[in-house]
Amino acid sequence: MTAPKKLYIKTYGCQMNVYDSERMAEALGGEGYVETSRPDDADMILLNTCHIREKAAEKVYSELGRFRGLKAANPDLKIGVAGCVAQAEGEEIMRRQPLVDLVVGPQSYHRLPEMEAKTRAGEKALDTDFPEEDKFEKLKSRPKAKRGPTAFLTVQEGCDKFCAFCVVPYTRGAEVSRPVDRILTEARDLVERGVREITLLGQNVNAYHGAGPDGDWSLARLIWALNDVDGLERIRFTTSHPNDMADDLIEAHADCPKLMPYLHLPVQSGSDRILKRMNRSHTAESYLKLIERLRAARPDLHMSGDFIVGFPEETEQDFQDTLALVEAVQYGSAFSFKYSTRPGTPAAERSQVDEAEKDDRLQRLQALLTRQQRALQDAMVGREVGVLFEKPGRLPGQMVGKSDYLHAVHVDSDAVVPGDLARVRIVSSGPNSLAGEVLG
Ligand code: SAM
Ligand code: SF4
């Protein structure tokens, strides 16, 4: 018997890349690869990259440079680049970094087995097509091995919104939804393997409109169907666009027992002038009204969001409007970024905000968001929440998991194991997590 080949895969960026990395590892599993956590032990290194901000792409090049020694020591080592940098820069990567053997875009990674064979024959392999065929149909069915209690499941890919700052419509292509039956089969398989919580993924997940047995289904209908899957305890979804928050999805937040009270709904800015320049097609007011409706449906809903500061032409007043919106919403968590120029996007051509000003605005915004996040987290003390336990903690006897609201929670208890969903009373709040006691 030949020893299995080893695959080291490093994932950058969003949850969709985490899901894609799993699928790529599984695709290469069929070619005799097992995963390793050590690049120096690998027969193939795959970087699954992110192109959303400039730094993310630069990190890939510096990481590739670090593999030079490994390749010199082991000429049979194959190095591949996948994901959105691969899609955007294609041949440029091979030119800039000759040690790269393989470049594969996010829509063609079902072809990895053939591409890997090509590299073993001493050739370079590049595929950044947006193929006609559906990669999910072409990928081998997923293995049955046991796995942890939480999983991502991509239901929708690509984006047709073309926000002026964003590369996603170019790197991930047009918006496509997977058919309902495929998603339900994959979800049931995940549950059989030990999964208790599924997060449905899409760049614009709430625009989901996949083919169902009786026409296209909305995301809410899909969530209700998942609600009936025995053994699945929790459903989440991300990332949503404010313009696609349909009535049935808002109602699901009120009525669907397994849908968790947490919603990531990026707004990007609180200034209508900037939102218009961003091509977001919602206003600060329409966003706030939407949150009012969501909170009427589910009063304990924790809101999360994304913000960009220093978008071209953003003034101090525009930024103050963003702070005012944040004050009005009271976020449970949030991600905020300095605007990063992406070549080929409309905003790249516009008058840029000074870097020091961007830094200053980011600091002020993050200080406010951190205060809000901490206040909402502290308010959990004394409450009873559901916690899905995922793994042992750092200290002996400790178990950690996530609350319904996605807070990290740890308990000192041997009464729970990974995969248990338990009621927990929160007893204290630390900088990044809560501590609790398992109830009865
Ligand atoms: N589809 C989601 C939406 O519309 O909100 C967002 C998906 S995008 C992959 C994730 C986040 O990256 C965005 O919400 C935005 O805040 C941030 N982002 C995208 N392009 C950016 C850029 N050029 N500079 C800084 N942040 C950016
Ligand atoms: Fe990018 Fe989201 Fe806008 Fe689509 S909706 S272009 S993914 S920020």
Side-chain angles (χ1 to χ4, degrees):
M1 228 175 84
T2 50
K5 289 177 277 184
K6 303 240 178 84
L7 169 70
Y8 171 77
I9 182 159
K10 180 164 180 176
T11 308
Y12 299 82
C14 65
Q15 294 104 324
M16 292 192 84
N17 268 9
V18 175
Y19 176 84
D20 289 345
S21 288
E22 275 183 25
R23 301 295 309 245
M24 286 192 272
E26 289 168 8
L28 289 171
E31 307 307 304
Y33 278 90
V34 295
E35 274 193 83
T36 171
S37 57
R38 288 175 37 201
D40 57 348
D41 191 30
D43 300 284
M44 174 173 266
I45 292 175
L46 205 51
L47 300 183
N48 190 11
T49 61
C50 171
H51 201 237
I52 202 81
R53 281 168 292 276
E54 199 176 352
K55 268 199 199 133
E58 279 313 311
K59 257 195 239 157
V60 173
Y61 284 109
S62 68
E63 183 84 30
L64 284 170
R66 265 185 260 146
F67 297 141
R68 202 168 288 126
L70 292 181
K71 185 100 170 176
N74 173 13
D76 288 337
L77 170 67
K78 302 298 173 197
I79 296 180
V81 180
C84 292
V85 176
Q87 187 63 45
E89 310 217 344
E91 283 172 15
E92 171 69 15
I93 298 177
M94 287 197 177
R95 248 198 314 274
R96 213 172 131 177
Q97 191 44 274
L99 56 76
V100 171
D101 301 285
L102 177 157
V103 172
V104 62
Q107 296 312 335
S108 33
Y109 64 70
H110 54 294
R111 295 175 179 163
L112 263 176
E114 298 100 87
M115 295 176 74
E116 189 268 350
K118 211 169 157 189
T119 65
R120 292 283 156 215
E123 291 174 52
K124 300 249 178 192
L126 174 114
D127 192 336
T128 52
D129 284 354
F130 286 104
E132 282 290 308
E133 77 261 18
D134 175 356
K135 71 168 176 262
F136 295 110
E137 298 284 314
K138 298 283 168 192
L139 283 163
K140 289 205 182 75
S141 50
R142 307 193 69 176
K144 296 287 178 198
K146 277 277 165 225
R147 49 170 297 158
T150 63
F152 294 128
L153 202 176
T154 293
V155 302
Q156 178 272 329
E157 286 193 288
C159 181
D160 298 335
K161 296 247 179 341
F162 290 93
C163 297
F165 49 80
C166 185
V167 289
V168 168
Y170 311 96
T171 56
R172 291 268 174 174
E175 202 191 294
V176 179
S177 296
R178 295 179 66 193
V180 169
D181 62 340
R182 293 282 158 170
I183 296 168
L184 293 178
T185 303
E186 195 170 327
R188 287 192 202 99
D189 283 355
L190 286 168
V191 169
E192 258 177 49
R193 295 170 61 192
V195 168
R196 296 284 163 268
E197 172 181 304
I198 289 180
T199 302
L200 305 175
L201 297 181
Q203 262 92 23
N204 239 305
V205 71
N206 56 342
Y208 175 82
H209 55 93
D214 51 0
D216 280 1
W217 279 27
S218 66
L219 183 67
R221 265 189 95 179
L222 181 66
I223 289 171
W224 276 106
L226 287 165
N227 192 65
D228 289 337
V229 172
D230 284 340
L232 180 64
E233 306 287 354
R234 287 170 152 190
I235 304 162
R236 304 181 187 275
F237 61 92
T238 198
T239 294
S240 295
H241 192 287
N243 285 12
D244 294 314
M245 213 62 215
D247 291 350
D248 61 349
L249 191 54
I250 297 177
E251 281 157 25
H253 278 281
D255 305 327
C256 185
K258 293 181 185 172
L259 182 59
M260 289 294 102
Y262 176 97
L263 178 63
H264 185 63
L265 193 64
V267 65
Q268 313 299 354
S269 167
S271 154
D272 288 347
R273 196 180 74 85
I274 293 297
L275 285 169
K276 201 158 182 201
R277 299 288 286 147
M278 285 177 164
N279 194 29
R280 287 291 291 182
S281 60
H282 57 78
T283 62
E285 195 192 349
S286 67
Y287 179 82
L288 291 173
K289 282 226 167 84
L290 180 58
I291 291 181
E292 228 171 74
R293 289 182 60 210
L294 282 156
R295 283 186 168 148
R298 181 79 203 224
D300 61 341
L301 189 69
H302 269 223
M303 291 303 307
S304 165
D306 288 350
F307 297 88
I308 294 178
V309 300
F311 184 76
E313 301 155 18
E314 185 189 70
T315 62
E316 176 61 24
Q317 183 53 53
D318 293 317
F319 176 66
Q320 288 297 329
D321 292 347
T322 298
L323 294 180
L325 178 136
V326 172
E327 287 285 7
V329 174
Q330 299 289 319
Y331 285 92
S333 74
F335 304 89
S336 44
F337 314 99
K338 279 193 292 179
Y339 169 72
S340 170
T341 311
R342 306 317 289 128
T345 59
E349 309 301 322
R350 302 186 192 153
S351 148
Q352 303 294 319
V353 172
D354 177 68
E355 207 52 37
E357 189 59 48
K358 282 192 209 172
D359 282 329
D360 179 58
R361 288 180 194 166
L362 187 65
Q363 264 187 26
R364 285 186 282 157
L365 175 62
Q366 289 188 336
L368 175 60
L369 289 166
T370 306
R371 272 203 304 282
Q372 288 189 350
Q373 190 167 339
R374 188 62 203 258
L376 276 170
Q377 192 189 294
D378 291 350
M380 301 303 292
V381 175
R383 284 187 54 184
E384 272 180 35
V385 290
V387 174
L388 176 63
F389 287 97
E390 292 177 14
K391 56 183 182 203
R394 270 186 298 118
L395 303 177
Q398 216 177 45
M399 283 292 296
V400 294
K402 294 273 167 56
S403 78
D404 298 343
Y405 308 98
L406 217 52
H407 291 120
V409 178
H410 57 88
V411 297
D412 293 317
S413 170
D414 50 18
V416 284
V417 295
D420 283 351
L421 181 61
R423 298 298 296 169
V424 169
R425 179 177 298 114
I426 302 300
V427 293
S428 66
S429 170
N432 299 309
S433 65
L434 294 164
E437 292 166 352
V438 178
L439 296 169

